[in-house]
Amino acid sequence: MAHLIAPSLLSADFARLAQAVELVHHSPAPWLHLDVMDGLFVPNISFGPPVIKAIRPLTNKVFDVHLMIMDPDRYIGAFRDAGADRLSVHLEACTHLHRTIQAIKAAGMKAGVAINPHTPVHLLTEVLTDLDQVIVMSVNPGFGGQRFIPGTYRKLNALAEMRQVHGATLQIEVDGGVSLENYAEIADHGADALVAGNSVFGAPDPAAAIRSMSA
Ligand code: DX5
Ligand code: ZN
């Protein structure tokens, strides 16, 4: 099954962000994954709309923005204005998830929902056909460089089946602990997009790592 790699800027050298974006720009990766953390939903703080806006002119790659923030409805317009193409919110952070998904689409972006490792995929049933993507977290969100949780494979099987049964067109993205060792197996379980942070920017040759995992 064909899959794409979405390098995560979280593992790049923040003192050389432009260099990291340019590396992705010249790579086969069609998406750049951008992890936004608020220090409340997750125990870490990363970056927000101003940083995304600053790097937007450097590439025309798809900006895949993953919001790990509480009450994301407040910032949908800000991320659209900063240049997000795809915007994903966490199911666990949204009281009115259906409304949030519609608001993201009304703002002109592709809408995604991310689920934590403890969240079963069946909780997405009622919004499945509204979604452009589901991010299945394969680590507990907040940090790069963590180990892939093997139970994710079961969730991927279940989600791929749900997608088929409901005739949904969403893309399945896996986020956390993706490496050269496991990327092929993850793709075999139905993942369309694989986020790769540490396995790209922690590699001696990040461009070669993207090329290897894109194959
Ligand atoms: C984790 C983030 C991930 C992170 C993945 O909270 O959502 O996107 O950058 O990093 P790696 O690939 O290093 O696990
Ligand atoms: Zn992410």
Side-chain angles (χ1 to χ4, degrees):
M1 182 113 113
H3 66 272
L4 65 88
I5 296 297
S8 168
L9 212 57
L10 189 65
S11 294
D13 179 351
F14 281 10
R16 295 186 170 77
L17 272 188
Q19 221 169 291
V21 175
E22 272 148 27
L23 185 141
V24 174
H25 179 70
H26 292 106
S27 82
W31 297 2
L32 179 62
H33 187 80
L34 297 163
D35 288 303
V36 176
M37 304 178 180
D38 67 352
L40 287 171
F41 181 69
V42 288
N44 198 4
I45 300 174
S46 56
F47 51 79
V51 170
I52 294 174
K53 190 174 181 187
I55 61 171
R56 184 65 277 191
L58 303 179
T59 181
N60 53 7
K61 298 274 176 174
V62 170
F63 275 14
D64 176 38
V65 178
H66 175 193
L67 298 186
M68 285 160 276
I69 67 174
M70 301 302 291
D71 202 2
D73 301 62
R74 292 175 297 166
Y75 296 103
I76 291 171
F79 284 103
R80 190 262 326 276
D81 294 346
D85 300 296
R86 312 176 71 85
L87 193 66
S88 295
V89 296
H90 264 266
L91 178 146
E92 302 85 2
C94 294
T95 309
H96 303 287
L97 184 62
H98 181 274
R99 177 188 289 154
T100 305
I101 293 165
Q102 308 312 323
I104 294 170
K105 297 209 290 197
M109 294 172 285
K110 301 284 188 196
V113 171
I115 54 170
N116 280 335
H118 74 278
T119 302
V121 292
H122 72 76
L123 292 181
L124 293 166
T125 307
E126 302 305 329
V127 291
L128 215 59
T129 54
D130 294 308
L131 289 175
D132 296 297
Q133 78 183 52
V134 171
I135 302 181
V136 179
M137 293 306 302
S138 38
V139 297
N140 287 292
F143 304 93
Q146 302 182 79
R147 283 172 69 89
F148 182 87
I149 298 171
T152 307
Y153 289 124
R154 258 198 330 272
K155 293 175 73 173
L156 290 176
N157 290 341
L159 183 57
E161 193 184 332
M162 275 170 67
R163 171 169 65 177
Q164 199 183 359
V165 169
H166 291 262
T169 54
L170 61 89
Q171 289 178 284
I172 299 174
E173 183 169 33
V174 172
D175 188 3
V178 173
S179 68
L180 255 171
E181 286 70 46
N182 62 18
Y183 82 94
E185 190 170 358
I186 296 168
D188 282 347
H189 280 76
D192 305 293
L194 310 184
V195 176
N198 191 54
S199 60
V200 167
F201 291 106
D205 184 345
I210 296 173
R211 281 198 301 274
S212 304
M213 290 190 283
S214 299

